[in-house]
Amino acid sequence: PPHLRVTGIHKRFGGLHALRGVDFEVARGEVMALVGDNGAGKSTLMKVLAGAYLADEGEFWLDGEQVLVGGPTDAADLGIQIVYQDLALCENLDVAANLSLGAEPVKPGWGFLPRFLRPIDEMEMEVKAQKAIDRLEVRTLKSVRALVGGLSGGQRQAIAIARAVGAESSVVMLDEPTAALGVAQTRQVLNVVRRLRDTNHAVVYISHNMRDIFEVADRICILRHGANVGTWRTAETTPDEIVVAMTRGLDEGQTH
Ligand code: ADP
Ligand code: MG
Ligand code: MG
């Protein structure tokens, strides 16, 4: 059974009907690619799943039970995490600090002070960061004390993913994580995606790159004009078939 399932999702922005009754599901241990032309509604669907946008209509199901998602905190509590296109990392902080941003471990015995005055337990922060990096097997990162500003695009993506993936997360959603990356760095991110699947996460992966998708995804869901037009197993289809299904009708001048 799917881990996360949504049914009948509608989302409007004023007069624009961005999602038109979308059903979507993803299982644990599965990478579900989400594809579609620009403006098809991919990012909107992901944001709805992450609670960042509230759906106008529709239902959420987790492991077969209906749940309410009223905002990002609800989604995070359910283990649903999103890694945004703009990674929002702090360039002038190191990897360890970025990974514990807002939840820095406090030195034992200083809990009586107001939060902002408590001294950070640097050792503990480092250990936790290293664990998060090891979980994803990011082998190119030499030290969690490296400044984020000096990292490659692939490493940044990996750090942003590591930050989203906590002990409690079960769904990780990535919005075009390789869009700005070269070949070697894309490789690195695809390895992290595989690693997420192998650690039993449900992964939603938005990309325009068919080669990457066929390399890493188990299934492909196509959005067209805010509607889910079908889901294909990568083992049972070809990139050409997907592109045809993606663009069918689009050259006839349809718009929102
Ligand atoms: P995709 O990610 O597939 O390129 P999006 O989900 O970003 O598509 O956008 C789907 C449609 O919704 C587009 O027409 C876009 O302009 C519109 N849209 C997305 N976000 C907003 C927003 N916050 N306000 C108004 N319109 C939006
Ligand atoms: Mg877009
Ligand atoms: Mg998008």
Side-chain angles (χ1 to χ4, degrees):
H3 174 57
L4 175 65
R5 183 160 79 97
V6 294
T7 53
I9 298 287
H10 285 266
K11 179 66 189 171
R12 293 178 186 81
F13 297 106
L16 186 116
H17 202 164
L19 297 176
R20 308 166 177 232
V22 171
D23 298 343
F24 179 80
E25 61 165 56
V26 58
R28 276 182 179 264
E30 171 179 65
V31 178
M32 176 71 89
L34 187 54
V35 305
D37 209 352
N38 278 333
K42 305 179 297 294
S43 296
T44 301
L45 177 59
M46 212 178 248
K47 285 173 189 168
V48 165
L49 295 175
Y53 288 159
L54 286 189
D56 299 316
E57 287 172 55
E59 290 172 343
F60 277 67
W61 310 77
L62 205 67
D63 295 326
E65 283 198 36
Q66 196 171 351
V67 291
L68 289 178
V69 174
T73 336
D74 288 356
D77 286 347
L78 294 169
I80 304 170
Q81 296 287 348
I82 190 170
V83 181
Y84 287 102
Q85 257 163 337
D86 52 18
L87 301 175
L89 298 173
C90 294
E91 300 281 305
N92 55 339
L93 294 182
D94 64 25
V95 171
N98 266 279
L99 286 176
S100 49
L101 222 52
E104 292 85 353
V106 174
K107 274 191 184 156
W110 291 88
F112 64 92
L113 284 175
R115 180 93 190 122
F116 70 99
L117 285 177
R118 293 176 202 163
I120 294 171
D121 188 339
E122 295 285 339
M123 283 295 285
E124 177 68 7
M125 187 164 92
E126 222 172 287
V127 168
K128 280 189 166 165
Q130 194 60 55
K131 272 188 192 153
I133 294 301
D134 292 345
R135 256 203 302 273
L136 295 179
E137 298 181 346
V138 188
R139 296 208 182 83
T140 63
L141 187 75
K142 297 285 178 283
S143 163
V144 292
R145 284 301 175 184
L147 286 185
V148 161
L151 299 184
S152 74
Q155 288 171 326
R156 279 162 202 246
Q157 270 294 341
I159 303 309
I161 294 168
R163 188 171 59 181
V165 179
E168 310 285 293
S169 60
S170 60
V171 181
V172 183
M173 304 189 288
L174 308 163
D175 197 348
E176 302 195 39
T178 63
L181 303 184
V183 178
Q185 298 186 13
T186 295
R187 216 104 299 270
Q188 191 176 350
V189 172
L190 294 184
N191 281 337
V192 171
V193 172
R194 281 193 202 93
R195 182 75 188 137
L196 288 171
R197 171 179 48 203
D198 295 346
T199 50
N200 208 30
H201 286 86
V203 185
V204 183
Y205 176 75
I206 294 181
S207 173
H208 288 285
N209 188 315
M210 281 302 152
R211 237 187 114 220
D212 294 352
I213 287 170
F214 272 77
E215 202 179 308
V216 83
D218 302 290
R219 291 196 285 167
I220 303 173
C221 171
I222 299 181
L223 285 188
R224 212 162 61 209
H225 294 314
N228 177 348
V229 297
T231 302
W232 283 259
R233 296 199 164 278
T234 46
E236 295 165 4
T237 185
T238 62
D240 283 353
E241 269 180 3
I242 295 298
V243 171
V244 167
M246 237 172 81
T247 53
R248 187 173 294 135
L250 292 186
D251 47 1
E252 284 140 41
Q254 287 182 21
T255 53
H256 281 288

